Amino acid sequence: MSCPTFESLSAEVDGELAQLEAEAMRSHLVGCDKCRARRTQLLLLRGAVRNASASPLASDRLKARLAATAQKRGRAKFLRLGLGLAAAAAVAGLLLPWVRSKDVVTELVGDHRGTTVTGEEPFDVVSSDANVLERWFEGKLDYRLRIPRPPATRLLGARLCDVGGRQFPLAAYDREGRRLSLFALGTAAGSQGGTCREGVAGFTVCRQAADGIDYMLVSDYPGAEAKRILTSMLSERP
Amino acid sequence: MTENELLTVAIAAANQLKRFAQNLCGDVDGAEDLVQEGFLRALANRAQLRDASRAIPWLLMIVRRVFLEKHRRSERQSHLIELDATLTDPPIGNLEEEMLRGALSEEVSNALAALPEDWRSCLLLREVDGFSYQEIAQIVECPVGTVRSRLARARAELLVSLHTYAAERGIAQGARR
């Protein structure tokens, strides 16, 4: 057998020859020093290419960008549906101007349901260590986020939620088998007493400011208990 | 495949997507933009993905499409190079030891960067990512036979470049041809 072509040897090292061709190649290689040397050369080249090629680690920023891209698209679809309904309502004279003020809270409750309760929307970072989660948020927010570490609860992970182009961090907890989402809505003036409302898309929403950050807790606890949990969370110090 | 399932795949393959994009466009920030843009397009067209097990090659194909749309001129140029190129056997020299020692990493990088995009993409998808010819054909949108040919040409070109480098430094003395 005459020596195989370079292309055939190249396909051989990739294991991409047809069975008959591969068998003929193996027989030839046994008796041909030159082709064996060529084959060795191709295998060494493989190692050299692997060593030399860029192998960047995807930054958390990229993963967050991908998550935000999916979320924005989901929001856009939601908005298109909402605009359709609004147009229909306008025709019927039933515009509800109060809906707009509730949008952010309602959407964040949806994030609590999708991420913390059902798991349909993945965490950006999974860890039970608050330090790890805080470090992940560094550089992504224009304020320093402190994630409470309350006793009798377990951190599950965190995510950066996008509502209307604004970023809201979410930290998810497990408490007695029930799921809680703590959102930071932005900076606030000092600390303020909390408010609570039950029945927001099926959940209880409590808000309270502490250390200059406006927090919102979403859970399925009754209002008074949810308020007590949030106050207790925010009074903890690392 | 739902949007969330596609997101999970994309996040799990983020390193691979970014590496591929970086090898296409040559810079880190541009690579992340490319991946994000490709992912957005994938979300919009996810109904076209019939086989969920092929999601990663499909994402890579879209990332490359986005890149090519932005670089139409260089794509045409590489096709011209491919049409003109004839495959001649590269020399067999004493490159092996140098390659094993990794001393030629920079030269390999430079030689890789000098390859036409479609040769380089095929080579990296094979050598680094370990895709089969069939999968590479899907990603770079060409027949399997073309993948086989591009891989051989890319390897021959790299060996010629490295042999030239080695000969210039007296490494390849005693080379067999």
Side-chain angles (χ1 to χ4, degrees), chain B residues 60-73:
Chain B
L60 291 167
M61 176 193 75
I62 293 174
V63 166
R64 183 171 180 267
R65 266 190 200 173
V66 171
F67 169 78
L68 291 178
E69 284 168 15
K70 293 174 184 290
H71 300 81
R72 282 286 174 202
R73 187 176 299 173

Side-chain angles (χ1 to χ4, degrees), chain A residues 175-176 178-180 198 204 219-223 225-226 229:
Chain A
R175 179 188 171 92
E176 303 162 328
R178 297 163 82 165
R179 299 300 171 92
L180 317 170
E198 295 178 357
T204 302
S219 71
D220 62 357
Y221 281 95
E225 193 169 359
I229 292 169

Side-chain angles (χ1 to χ4, degrees), chain A residues 6-8 10-11 14 16 38 41 44 46 50 52-54 56 58-59 61 65-66 69 73 77 120, chain B residues 3-4 15 19 22 29 32-33 36 39 89-92 96 100 109 126-128 133 148 152 155:
Chain A
F6 183 80
E7 187 176 313
S8 291
S10 166
D14 290 332
E16 292 273 357
R38 171 75 76 205
Q41 188 186 42
L44 289 167
R46 168 168 297 163
R50 284 180 184 164
S53 69
S59 61
R61 187 182 62 170
R65 283 174 73 179
L66 293 176
T69 300
R73 203 181 121 75
K77 280 161 60 182
E120 288 168 357
Chain B
E3 292 194 356
N4 280 328
N15 284 351
R19 180 177 61 233
Q22 193 170 328
D29 290 337
E32 294 204 354
D33 291 344
Q36 186 178 18
F39 177 62
D89 279 8
I92 304 176
E96 288 80 358
L100 277 175
S109 294
R126 175 64 221 169
E127 304 291 44
V128 182
Y133 284 13
R148 176 174 152 140
R155 286 165 168 155

Side-chain angles (χ1 to χ4, degrees), chain B residues 74-90:
Chain B
S74 55
E75 182 200 13
R76 280 198 300 273
Q77 192 177 16
S78 79
H79 279 298
L80 289 175
I81 291 170
E82 187 165 6
L83 286 172
D84 289 344
T86 52
L87 177 59
T88 52
D89 279 8

Side-chain angles (χ1 to χ4, degrees), chain A residues 115-133:
Chain A
T115 304
T116 308
V117 178
T118 67
E120 288 168 357
E121 298 186 61
F123 291 121
D124 289 333
V125 54
V126 176
S127 176
S128 58
D129 185 338
N131 294 313
V132 170
L133 303 184

